[in-house]
Amino acid sequence: MKRVKIIGGGLAGPEAALQAASLGCEVTLYEMRPHRSTEAHQTSDFAELVCSNSLKSESENSAPWLLKQEMRRANSFLLQAADASSVPAGHALAVDRTEFSNRVQQLIEQNPRITVVREEMTSLPEDLDVVTVLATGPLTSPALVNELQRLTGSQHLAFYDSISPIVDASTIDMEKVYFAARWDKGTADYINCPFTKEEYERFIQALSTAETVPAKEWEQIPTSHSETEGSASPTNNQQLATPKYFEGCLPIEEIARRGHDTLRFGPMKPAGLTNPRTGRWPYAVVQLRQENLRADSYNLVGFQNHLKYGEQARVLRLIPGLGNAKFLRYGQIHRNTYINSPSVLTETLQLRSRPDILIAGQLSGVEGYTESIAGGLLAGRFAAALAQGLTPVPPPRLTAHGSLIHYITHSEAKSFQPANITFDLLLPLEEELRKKIRDKKERHRIQCERALEAWQQWLQSAIKMMVE
């Protein structure tokens, strides 16, 4: 049996390591932190969540719920750790970051088949007796980006991702806020900061004049002919372009530039959040989500930004209830790297030019914590099959996992962008059935039912193949 090497200790890497080890493989897990950190990480912990602490909706028959249900049926180790470290978050699965990382660390340390090596990998193995999973995430080191460009012969793409501010719970003025869940779905775990029209106008004015952080060279996205030839860093012939933000994770100042009321239809949407003091929806609202099990800190949902820290303090304290807030962490925007998967990856996450190398997690073009763990789950299983001399089989297109894989490997390469799991990615119902069933929720229920059935059959056939 071949040995499995996994590079990256974020979300996809540990999940892949634990999956491969559970299937009998000897695994070496490489992580460069603490010897070399990234521009966004604050610790050297496995599975550090650098942005929000949410793994999205747990509402039955939603797309994120379906993905997690498939993961639970496949014994996802990181999802088990998330469930065990969850904090109240209405109908979403949110975790205590520290507890989550600690549980993942314990799973890795207690597994006798996993060896951890804390050093930076600057090249990819050429050993034919090794299967490699590259799960270095959106902040892959320049050395490995160069390696990928050398192997794939294609340019790497980039977008900007985000970190939301975190506030000390004891400094929130609870007389000015209220607990509620949107449309009363789930428990009322979110703190809501309600705005009047005048307060919103004042906030928008302050935001529009706030000074942003100049983009550092490592954050810039080079644009020139030389980039298409695989240059890893700007040359004298390249120009540094303006930030290319990921549309699903825009900074609040960018959203505000797109229209005076744009924030009220985005992260500050008040719909379904009735204020018990007035019996009405506020003009706008900022939601705070619990950060940890102690409930001593909350993050500002969807409030990633690229403002200077002093400016953040000034602007964010205009939010009702946060006038005297102490911020434990300010918002940030950082560059993420991902490969052009439709051009270079197979449906089993293998590089076409090097089938012994698999790409997992956000580096492959999936977006989100849950999606990254799901990519690690598949990569670990595919790697285990390859290590045993078997041919890995991708999950069915009907499933959430299969739909994600299909998206990143079959999209139009020229316009490829990372994606979260949504029903848009899943196979729609047959036209005749769509005409018969008008209710969208019922359609989604049937899609989920079909997906879980197909997923279970795939799991059973994969296990049978490995046993035989």
Side-chain angles (χ1 to χ4, degrees):
M1 182 184 291
K2 295 182 179 180
R3 187 170 183 86
V4 175
K5 288 189 176 181
I6 296 174
I7 307 173
L11 294 172
E15 180 69 33
L18 290 161
Q19 288 292 332
S22 73
L23 294 170
C25 296
E26 294 297 319
V27 178
T28 304
L29 175 59
Y30 292 85
E31 170 54 49
M32 68 180 184
R33 295 172 294 138
H35 304 296
R36 175 179 176 143
S37 190
T38 73
E39 295 79 5
H41 286 89
Q42 296 181 341
T43 75
S44 58
D45 299 339
F46 287 123
E48 178 186 345
L49 303 183
V50 298
C51 299
S52 91
N53 67 328
S54 173
L55 276 70
K56 299 180 185 171
S57 177
E58 285 279 62
S59 293
E60 189 172 0
N61 296 325
S62 66
W65 172 86
L66 173 61
L67 184 63
K68 289 195 284 289
Q69 288 299 102
E70 291 180 3
M71 293 165 70
R72 290 184 175 109
R73 296 186 181 201
N75 189 34
S76 167
F77 294 91
L78 265 67
L79 197 55
Q80 290 174 24
D83 286 335
S85 56
S86 64
V87 297
H91 58 96
L93 172 60
V95 303
D96 180 312
R97 298 168 194 263
T98 303
E99 177 69 15
F100 174 65
S101 290
N102 287 343
R103 286 180 177 272
V104 175
Q105 181 82 26
Q106 290 171 13
L107 289 170
I108 296 291
E109 290 177 345
Q110 293 170 2
N111 194 305
R113 290 198 176 101
I114 300 177
T115 301
V116 175
V117 178
R118 293 279 186 170
E119 66 179 46
E120 181 185 5
M121 293 287 285
T122 58
S123 61
L124 295 171
E126 300 283 351
D127 191 343
L128 296 179
D129 290 327
V130 172
V131 178
T132 302
V133 176
L134 186 58
T136 45
L139 295 172
T140 296
S141 68
L144 285 180
V145 168
N146 284 337
E147 278 284 277
L148 276 174
Q149 290 181 322
R150 178 180 66 81
L151 291 173
T152 63
S154 65
Q155 71 182 86
H156 73 277
L157 305 177
F159 67 92
Y160 280 75
D161 204 359
S162 58
I163 295 174
S164 292
I166 296 176
V167 63
D168 183 335
S170 67
T171 64
I172 301 170
D173 186 349
M174 301 304 291
E175 295 297 318
K176 295 183 178 180
V177 302
Y178 61 97
F179 281 90
R182 198 179 301 277
W183 304 113
D184 294 324
K185 289 185 178 180
T187 54
D189 299 320
Y190 287 78
I191 293 177
N192 296 272
C193 305
F195 286 74
T196 63
K197 182 177 181 180
E198 293 72 21
E199 288 168 334
Y200 179 78
E201 298 285 349
R202 188 160 53 249
F203 177 82
I204 292 297
Q205 175 60 31
L207 183 61
S208 68
T209 59
E211 190 174 358
T212 59
V213 177
K216 301 178 180 66
E217 183 174 307
W218 68 268
E219 293 181 305
Q220 300 282 353
I221 299 173
T223 55
S224 75
H225 177 67
S226 57
E227 179 181 344
T228 65
E229 296 172 346
S231 175
S233 58
T235 67
N236 292 334
N237 295 323
Q238 290 176 309
Q239 294 182 342
L240 296 177
T242 54
K244 181 182 177 182
Y245 295 117
F246 176 49
E247 285 295 318
C249 221
L250 292 171
I252 56 171
E253 66 273 15
E254 176 66 21
I255 297 174
R257 287 191 196 102
R258 299 183 177 190
H260 184 272
D261 287 321
T262 312
L263 280 170
R264 293 181 59 236
F265 292 91
M268 297 179 71
K269 181 170 64 176
L273 293 171
T274 303
N275 187 337
R277 297 187 181 95
T278 65
R280 300 190 302 272
W281 297 349
Y283 188 76
V285 71
V286 170
Q287 288 198 299
L288 311 181
R289 180 174 54 226
Q290 187 175 324
E291 259 293 309
N292 54 29
L293 293 170
R294 298 186 304 275
D296 59 6
S297 58
Y298 281 76
N299 65 68
L300 280 65
V301 179
F303 253 56
Q304 58 273 1
N305 65 83
H306 213 191
L307 306 180
K308 290 186 174 181
Y309 287 174
E311 293 289 79
Q312 287 191 52
R314 177 178 68 86
V315 174
L316 298 180
R317 286 186 180 127
L318 293 175
I319 297 172
L322 302 188
N324 296 307
K326 176 183 177 183
F327 290 96
L328 304 177
R329 183 184 74 184
Y330 286 107
Q332 296 179 41
I333 299 291
H334 57 86
R335 183 183 175 185
N336 281 358
T337 300
Y338 60 95
I339 64 171
N340 194 330
S341 292
S343 300
V344 301
L345 276 195
T346 71
E347 285 191 331
T348 49
L349 302 177
Q350 296 169 266
L351 282 177
R352 292 175 183 170
S353 59
R354 283 281 302 277
D356 58 311
I357 296 175
L358 296 84
I359 309 294
Q362 284 190 254
L363 186 60
S364 71
V366 299
E367 166 60 19
Y369 293 151
T370 312
E371 291 84 347
S372 294
I373 298 170
L377 184 152
L378 291 176
R381 286 170 169 261
F382 294 155
L386 291 167
Q388 295 176 33
L390 303 172
T391 301
V393 178
R397 176 75 173 82
L398 271 174
T399 65
H401 283 77
S403 295
L404 270 177
I405 293 290
H406 185 270
Y407 171 80
I408 67 173
T409 56
H410 289 83
S411 294
E412 173 60 47
K414 292 182 180 179
S415 57
F416 179 59
Q417 278 243 325
N420 305 113
I421 185 63
T422 66
F423 277 106
D424 289 339
L425 301 188
L426 268 72
L427 276 176
L429 299 180
E430 299 84 352
E431 184 176 355
E432 183 177 338
L433 195 55
R434 289 202 306 274
K435 290 180 179 178
K436 182 179 179 181
I437 302 174
R438 299 291 185 179
D439 183 68
K440 184 183 291 187
K441 289 184 178 180
E442 179 61 13
R443 289 181 183 179
H444 288 172
R445 187 195 65 76
I446 295 173
Q447 285 178 286
C448 289
E449 187 177 83
R450 290 182 174 184
L452 291 173
E453 182 178 349
W455 178 252
Q456 196 65 38
Q457 291 174 357
W458 178 77
L459 286 176
Q460 291 170 352
S461 64
I463 292 172
K464 182 179 178 181
M465 180 180 68
M466 289 193 169
V467 170
E468 293 176 348

